[in-house]
Amino acid sequence: MLAYGSVLSFAALSCAKQDLQPATPVITASATADVSSAGFPEGFENGTKTAYTTGSVTLGSGSWTLNDALLGNTTADPKTGSQSVRVRNTGSITMNFNATTGAGIVTVQHALYGTDASSQWELWVSQNSGSTYVKVGSTITTSSASLSTASFSVNLSGSVRLQIRKISGGTNRINIDNVTMEQYGSTDGGGTTPPPTTGGKKFLFDGSHGELAGNADWVLDVNSGIASRYPSPAQSGITSTTAETYWTGAISAWGVALAKQGHTVEQLPAGTAISYGNTANAQDLSNYSVFVIDEPNVVFTAAEKTAILTFVKNGGGLFMISDHDVSDRNNDGWDSPAIWNDLMRNNSVQANPFGFSVNLDNIVENSSNVLASTTNPILRGSQGTVSQLSFHNGATMTLNPTTNSTVQGLIWRSSATQGNNSVMAASCTFGTGRVVIIGDSSPADDGTGSPGNTVYDGWNENLSHARLHLNASLWLAKLQ
């Protein structure tokens, strides 16, 4: 735990939180050896192929056929290590061998070659030694020159082969690197084993919208550079004395605390779409009570906005966490205040449904200006009384009861009157669902995260932070 001499001293130290440079995870075989299929991860460091002509090359995992593809090692080839696969036109990369222990989660890193325009690609899987293939997951669009990670829930037993197909973009080229494939049914760190069914509620934490960008680490657990569906080790191993370091994400303390109360937590991996009412999606929001999104850095699509708002309108709970203005960690032109405001202002369900907006400001403050209520379940619930909230670079909210009469401020800046302005945390209902927003990601940060990321312990900074997040979680799940 980081000791804070004062709010100002923490503000100086918290610069690492504001590191906006994208982080490219380096995936090594030792990091996933216990759960990966033999030979994976495949980093394309072995072998040589300098022409696009179709041909096979022996890599670390085995023989692959590269069609309209080569192994690129120039400065224009995004890569970790010395080389990656460069694909053009409608080229493909195909395994010529079987992974005999099946496939759980598969991840693929991808980026644009040089200054080329965007292209789309897909993951296909064969269970009959390459005779036929079926598509897995969504079509992925590559639009950045920096490596990002797409995740696919394959979950097939037996012998499996992978094929990556570029399907658009013509002569525009993309690079593929660091393909990981976990064994089917892994239980010792691969994040592919579901927790046991309990009588508690199901909480879904988003990891699909840049929550790992730059120095961010706003997920429960990270496996092979992604927030896999099931945090690992398995949730079934959590007891009343389990430390939050059981998982490696910077908000693992939150998830472990919920698990200790008998609730189930999952993550939505990168590359997985947010949907509501899609029975083909195992992680459709209809399967969960509460959806937690901690500082998104990728804007929601129109379909995702509809899914989120319909989920809440039909009874779901939405936990929204923002960060300060100018906190674009992946340099895509969007930061969390803008993303949240876009969700609420530009959707097909209802304009300004929650009765608040996120201000484009940046405050550092410890406030005890808490709503004077003895019955509010978020501030005085089963997890204890909330008496203060500390922001280490966060944004405030402005309330608009005209658009939603249920909106209510919970905590304000120290100097503010308890009205519609300078709100640090708020709640509302929408339809039959519930919403809570906090304007900073620091209070949920437990100080432990992925290797190379610098995070700080805001969760234990004062007793109120854990109480606020847990009370709010239970209120959103309609348990108090």
Side-chain angles (χ1 to χ4, degrees):
M1 176 176 178
L2 180 68
Y4 307 111
S6 67
V7 170
L8 289 177
S9 66
F10 181 88
L13 288 168
S14 67
C15 290
K17 175 192 168 189
Q18 312 308 328
D19 177 5
L20 304 183
Q21 297 303 314
T24 301
V26 178
I27 302 173
T28 64
S30 60
T32 57
D34 290 340
V35 298
S36 294
S37 295
F40 284 84
E42 177 55 76
F44 303 103
E45 295 302 295
N46 298 328
T48 301
K49 187 175 185 295
T50 58
Y52 287 107
T53 306
T54 300
S56 296
V57 60
T58 300
L59 302 170
S61 57
S63 173
W64 292 63
T65 294
L66 275 56
N67 170 31
D68 224 346
L70 54 77
L71 293 173
N73 56 14
T74 71
T75 56
D77 290 289
K79 55 191 176 295
T80 57
S82 61
Q83 60 187 19
S84 59
V85 178
R86 188 196 312 159
V87 191
R88 68 179 184 180
N89 299 319
T90 54
S92 62
I93 310 168
T94 306
M95 289 169 54
N96 296 325
F97 60 97
N98 293 326
T100 59
T101 53
I105 299 294
V106 171
T107 70
V108 180
Q109 290 196 311
H110 59 105
L112 299 176
Y113 172 79
T115 59
D116 284 8
S118 63
S119 296
Q120 291 184 310
W121 58 274
E122 297 171 342
L123 179 70
W124 290 66
V125 176
S126 173
Q127 287 187 286
N128 53 14
S129 298
S131 295
T132 60
Y133 286 83
V134 295
K135 179 185 171 185
V136 174
S138 303
T139 298
I140 305 298
T141 299
T142 300
S143 56
S144 170
S146 298
L147 286 171
S148 58
T149 303
S151 174
F152 304 85
S153 297
V154 178
N155 292 330
L156 294 173
S157 60
S159 294
V160 173
R161 294 189 184 192
L162 304 180
Q163 183 181 72
I164 296 169
R165 300 180 182 180
K166 184 173 179 289
I167 64 168
S168 75
T171 56
N172 291 315
R173 293 151 292 183
I174 63 172
N175 285 81
I176 300 295
D177 205 0
N178 297 322
V179 177
T180 75
M181 178 164 56
E182 296 169 356
Q183 296 180 16
Y184 174 76
S186 293
T187 60
D188 55 350
T192 58
T193 299
T197 302
T198 70
K201 299 289 187 175
K202 293 183 68 175
F203 291 78
L204 180 63
F205 287 74
D206 188 43
S208 68
H209 283 75
E211 286 87 355
L212 290 174
N215 199 50
D217 211 303
W218 312 130
V219 295
L220 304 176
D221 185 45
V222 180
N223 292 296
S224 302
I226 66 162
S228 55
R229 177 177 179 180
Y230 301 116
S232 60
Q235 182 171 324
S236 58
I238 294 177
T239 68
S240 61
T241 60
T242 299
E244 60 87 5
T245 51
Y246 188 75
W247 294 329
T248 59
I251 59 173
S252 58
W254 188 351
V256 169
L258 289 171
K260 286 180 178 180
Q261 296 184 25
H263 306 296
T264 299
V265 296
E266 292 184 16
Q267 303 181 117
L268 190 68
T272 307
I274 298 171
S275 69
Y276 181 76
N278 179 5
T279 57
N281 180 6
Q283 290 193 279
D284 187 80
L285 290 180
S286 62
N287 297 315
Y288 303 90
S289 297
V290 178
F291 189 28
V292 180
I293 311 177
D294 190 339
E295 195 188 331
N297 266 265
V298 175
V299 67
F300 301 110
T301 67
E304 289 177 328
K305 294 177 196 176
T306 299
I308 293 169
L309 295 178
T310 306
F311 166 69
V312 177
K313 191 173 184 179
N314 290 346
L318 176 64
F319 205 130
M320 305 166 60
I321 297 180
S322 184
D323 201 28
H324 62 90
D325 186 31
V326 191
S327 55
D328 178 9
R329 298 180 186 273
N330 57 356
N331 299 319
D332 68 348
W334 289 90
D335 58 14
S336 54
I339 290 169
W340 285 128
N341 287 334
D342 179 67
L343 167 71
M344 295 180 286
R345 294 170 182 167
N346 303 308
N347 65 80
S348 62
V349 178
Q350 181 175 319
N352 303 314
F354 303 148
F356 58 77
S357 59
V358 183
N359 298 321
L360 303 183
D361 57 11
N362 183 348
I363 70 166
V364 178
E365 182 170 325
N366 180 48
S367 176
S368 299
N369 191 4
V370 179
L371 178 69
S373 167
T374 60
T375 59
N376 185 282
I378 300 174
L379 301 174
R380 290 167 179 82
S382 62
Q383 306 304 298
T385 298
V386 176
S387 59
Q388 57 185 314
L389 177 60
S390 297
F391 272 18
H392 302 291
N393 302 105
T396 62
M397 280 73 67
T398 296
L399 311 185
N400 185 354
T402 301
T403 61
N404 186 325
S405 62
T406 70
V407 69
Q408 182 176 45
L410 300 172
I411 304 171
W412 291 258
R413 297 194 67 178
S414 297
S415 60
T417 58
Q418 293 192 0
N420 294 331
N421 301 309
S422 300
V423 180
M424 297 170 68
S427 67
C428 73
T429 61
F430 175 59
T432 58
R434 299 176 175 183
V435 178
V436 169
I437 184 168
I438 297 175
D440 187 17
S441 53
S442 294
D445 184 349
D446 58 35
T448 57
S450 302
N453 282 355
T454 303
V455 290
Y456 298 99
D457 193 351
W459 184 262
N460 294 302
E461 180 181 2
N462 62 62
L463 293 176
S464 287
H465 286 172
R467 292 171 178 174
L468 174 61
H469 288 78
L470 292 174
N471 275 337
S473 298
L474 300 180
W475 180 75
L476 290 169
K478 300 181 179 178
L479 294 174
Q480 61 182 28

